[in-house]
Amino acid sequence: MKQFFILPLLLLLLITGCGANGKKKSSELLFISNKKYFNAFPDSLKRQRIVEKNLGRQLKINEIEVKSFENIDKDLENFFKGKNEAENRYVLFVEPFLFPAITNSSALANFNLQIITYGIGGSPSSSLVGLFHIYVSSERIFEEVKSLVQNDFKKTKKMPVILFDEYDGISKGFNHWWENNAKEQGTAKLLLYKQNTVSRDMESSVAEIPGRTVFLFAGVNNRAVNTVNREKFKNERVVEFFTRYGMNNECVSHYVDIKYNKILNEGLKSKELKEFISVGDKNVVNFEVKTDILKKTKSGKVKIVRRK
């Protein structure tokens, strides 16, 4: 009978003993704060709030105020040096343009740090710190673009034209993908434009088949798009992909954007992320979102601020 009580007691002592000898590291959820950047890009602040809503209950929240992003790796290193590294590990959420400088920093690799970020197109294969990357593949995006173009062709009965920028990575990638996956279907004509010809290319495309839809990858040619004669396009369908450069002179009728908030939410709710955080994974985990991720909206007068 004594053995019956002794066995559970030994088990309890073993459990409590392990807890006392090996302290469980507490985790902090970190955000980078820069007021000037958030004033220019309020959507970035909204995405931080999405992360906070999904992960804030299980992690202590902290913010790192930086004056600029030029030396972000050094700013983070100084922050971590002031913390008790032995008792903490950190989960840092960053915007896509920041994570390469952080994940490639040998100095930050010395800290118990994990990064959560998101993006479109490529999926990173290496990192010096733990990285959870929520992304949509280029192929997924291109398939949805093709679907939008094909639906337009069925609706208007007129072959649309897709203008793509020779310097923009995603539009060049789309052109290559289209040549190999959709060209033979004959539902659209693709036309390469240069910065000094976009206005003329748009005008000639509409003149060639009046009433057709012009799909536009504005890319880096925002100034060129703004030179388009608004009066010639105010009754035409011009659909701009992934940027809103044509809004400055209202020459674009619709915009196609990526549902970044949806992408982020899907990754944040995944079991893969929970496991990544719980075990302190230091590897690269690429979480691919495969649901529909494009939305088309009518043009409106919205102030657009672009980061240089």
Side-chain angles (χ1 to χ4, degrees), residues 20-194:
N21 293 330
K23 287 185 177 180
K24 183 179 179 181
K25 290 190 176 183
S26 59
S27 298
E28 287 190 24
L29 175 62
L30 303 177
F31 297 104
I32 294 173
S33 179
N34 180 279
K35 293 180 180 179
K36 187 179 293 186
Y37 175 78
F38 286 144
N39 286 337
F41 300 93
D43 283 347
S44 294
L45 184 59
K46 291 179 182 178
R47 284 163 199 154
Q48 285 196 1
R49 296 296 171 257
I50 291 173
V51 178
E52 183 177 337
K53 182 179 179 180
N54 279 275
L55 303 179
R57 292 182 180 179
Q58 63 192 82
L59 303 171
K60 179 184 176 182
I61 299 174
N62 204 346
E63 285 192 355
I64 305 172
E65 181 69 36
V66 297
K67 293 182 179 180
S68 71
F69 299 123
E70 187 174 354
N71 296 307
I72 188 65
D73 55 333
K74 297 295 182 183
D75 291 334
L76 290 174
E77 183 183 358
N78 291 334
F79 171 84
F80 293 130
K81 282 181 177 179
K83 306 283 279 185
N84 187 345
E85 170 63 16
E87 296 181 2
N88 288 278
R89 59 189 180 92
Y90 309 95
V91 178
L92 174 66
F93 172 74
V94 294
E95 287 292 301
F97 72 94
L98 281 177
F99 87 83
I102 298 171
T103 57
N104 291 321
S105 170
S106 57
L108 293 179
N110 296 322
F111 300 99
N112 200 346
L113 175 64
Q114 296 174 296
I115 304 297
I116 298 176
T117 190
Y118 64 97
I120 61 174
S123 50
S125 58
S126 63
S127 172
L128 297 179
V129 300
L131 174 63
F132 191 90
H133 183 247
I134 305 164
Y135 80 105
V136 177
S137 69
S138 298
E139 290 74 18
R140 178 70 202 175
I141 296 170
F142 298 158
E143 284 285 357
E144 289 198 40
V145 169
K146 183 182 80 169
S147 180
L148 287 172
V149 172
Q150 289 178 332
N151 288 339
D152 180 87
F153 183 45
K154 291 177 182 178
K155 183 177 180 180
T156 64
K157 308 300 181 185
K158 297 179 179 181
M159 182 180 290
V161 64
I162 304 174
L163 302 182
F164 67 97
D165 173 14
E166 64 177 344
Y167 297 113
D168 180 58
I170 193 166
S171 65
K172 284 173 64 177
F174 175 76
N175 176 52
H176 177 75
W177 179 89
W178 184 275
E179 290 290 321
N180 291 284
N181 295 276
K183 182 179 180 180
E184 298 303 321
Q185 297 176 21
T187 55
K189 174 184 177 182
L190 264 67
L191 177 65
L192 169 70
Y193 71 88
K194 299 180 180 180

